[in-house]
């Protein structure tokens, strides 16, 4: 099974900073178009997201569940389904194994879905730390941010910087077509 691991905030949905209200969930432009391209390529989708707002006391896990359900509902209405959402509720000070850029959330996904083929999988996010999450597992990464360009400190697995999710999906589609 080939998977796209997505960061959530500012990758799939708008993030005002510690999104804590399900009514504030809005899809970013080109998300649906990008996901539909990836769906046609037979990718499964998993969200891996740091949610330190829980650890900071800004919102509860129950609120996070409602926010995630709203996001999944918006996508489902477009015919797009996700396998699962894995999240880290900790702050940086907790030094846990699940907070990105550590790969703990991916390991959680692998324990639940051992059929995931990491060589055919990708990781997409709006921060370098999202991409670094897949570096030790050699998961190809795409950074979504038109203002950033890779430099000497970029993770080895970062192979493209995209303007938006549709641009990222088109890059993956072209990458696959070149290999076949």
């Amino acid at each position: 099974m080939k998977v796209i691991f997505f960061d959530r905030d500012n990758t799939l949905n708008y993030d005002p900073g510690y999104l804590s209200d399900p009514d504030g969930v809005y899809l970013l432009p080109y998300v649906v178009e990008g996901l539909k391209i990836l769906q046609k390529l037979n990718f499964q989708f998993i969200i891996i997201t740091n949610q330190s707002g829980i650890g900071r006391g800004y919102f509860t896990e129950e609120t996070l569940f409602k926010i995630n359900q709203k996001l999944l509902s918006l996508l489902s209405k477009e015919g797009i389904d996700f396998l699962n959402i894995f999240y880290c509720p900790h702050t940086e000070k907790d030094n846990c194994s699940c907070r990105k850029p550590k790969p703990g959330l991916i390991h959680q996904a692998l324990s639940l879905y051992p059929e995931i083929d990491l060589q055919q999988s990708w990781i997409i996010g709006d921060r370098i730390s999202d991409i670094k999450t897949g570096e030790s597992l050699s998961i190809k990464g795409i950074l979504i941010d038109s203002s950033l360009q890779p430099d000497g400190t970029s993770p080895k697995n970062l192979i493209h910087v995209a303007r938006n999710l549709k641009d990222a999906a088109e890059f993956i589609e072209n990458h696959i077509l070149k290999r076949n």
Side-chain angles (χ1 to χ4, degrees), residues 82-116:
F82 277 69
L83 279 178
N84 215 324
I85 299 176
F86 297 90
Y87 66 92
C88 170
H90 306 109
T91 66
E92 298 88 353
K93 293 178 185 175
D94 294 324
N95 197 27
C96 64
S97 64
C98 58
R99 184 170 175 78
K100 295 184 292 179
K102 293 180 183 174
L105 295 175
I106 294 174
H107 288 296
Q108 288 178 31
L110 289 169
S111 68
L112 198 57
Y113 305 101
E115 66 275 20
I116 293 174

Side-chain angles (χ1 to χ4, degrees), residues 144-158:
I144 295 185
D145 187 340
S146 59
S147 68
L148 291 176
Q149 293 300 317
D151 59 23
T153 62
S154 296
K156 292 175 180 56
N157 63 322
L158 176 61

Side-chain angles (χ1 to χ4, degrees), residues 158-173:
L158 176 61
I159 61 171
H160 184 63
V161 177
R163 293 181 307 278
N164 54 54
L165 192 54
K166 183 179 180 203
D167 181 36
E170 289 170 344
F171 178 86
I172 291 171
E173 183 177 40

Side-chain angles (χ1 to χ4, degrees), residues 19-177:
L19 178 61
S20 61
D21 181 356
D23 291 335
V25 176
Y26 301 99
L27 296 177
L28 291 173
Y30 304 107
V31 164
V32 170
E33 296 90 336
L35 291 172
K36 286 189 176 190
I37 291 168
L38 296 169
Q39 244 178 357
K40 288 179 184 171
L41 297 170
N42 296 314
F43 281 98
Q44 299 292 317
F45 304 144
I46 293 176
I47 294 172
I48 56 172
T49 178
N50 287 343
Q51 293 297 323
S52 67
I54 294 169
R56 297 174 199 278
Y58 297 160
F59 53 89
T60 64
E61 288 189 71
E62 180 182 339
T63 300
L64 176 64
F65 178 79
K66 290 176 182 175
I67 291 166
N68 288 341
Q69 287 309 114
K70 173 78 180 276
L71 175 63
L72 295 176
S73 174
L74 290 172
L75 293 167
S76 182
K77 288 176 185 173
E78 300 290 341
I80 300 164
D81 294 314
F82 277 69
L83 279 178
N84 215 324
I85 299 176
F86 297 90
Y87 66 92
C88 170
H90 306 109
T91 66
E92 298 88 353
K93 293 178 185 175
D94 294 324
N95 197 27
C96 64
S97 64
C98 58
R99 184 170 175 78
K100 295 184 292 179
K102 293 180 183 174
L105 295 175
I106 294 174
H107 288 296
Q108 288 178 31
L110 289 169
S111 68
L112 198 57
Y113 305 101
E115 66 275 20
I116 293 174
D117 180 349
L118 294 180
Q119 289 187 333
Q120 292 190 65
S121 296
W122 294 75
I123 188 163
I124 300 176
D126 69 312
R127 295 177 179 221
I128 292 289
S129 61
D130 296 323
I131 308 309
K132 283 188 177 187
T133 303
E135 186 175 31
S136 66
L137 300 169
S138 299
I139 301 171
K140 294 174 290 299
I142 296 180
L143 181 67
I144 295 185
D145 187 340
S146 59
S147 68
L148 291 176
Q149 293 300 317
D151 59 23
T153 62
S154 296
K156 292 175 180 56
N157 63 322
L158 176 61
I159 61 171
H160 184 63
V161 177
R163 293 181 307 278
N164 54 54
L165 192 54
K166 183 179 180 203
D167 181 36
E170 289 170 344
F171 178 86
I172 291 171
E173 183 177 40
N174 290 331
H175 181 81
I176 290 170
L177 291 175

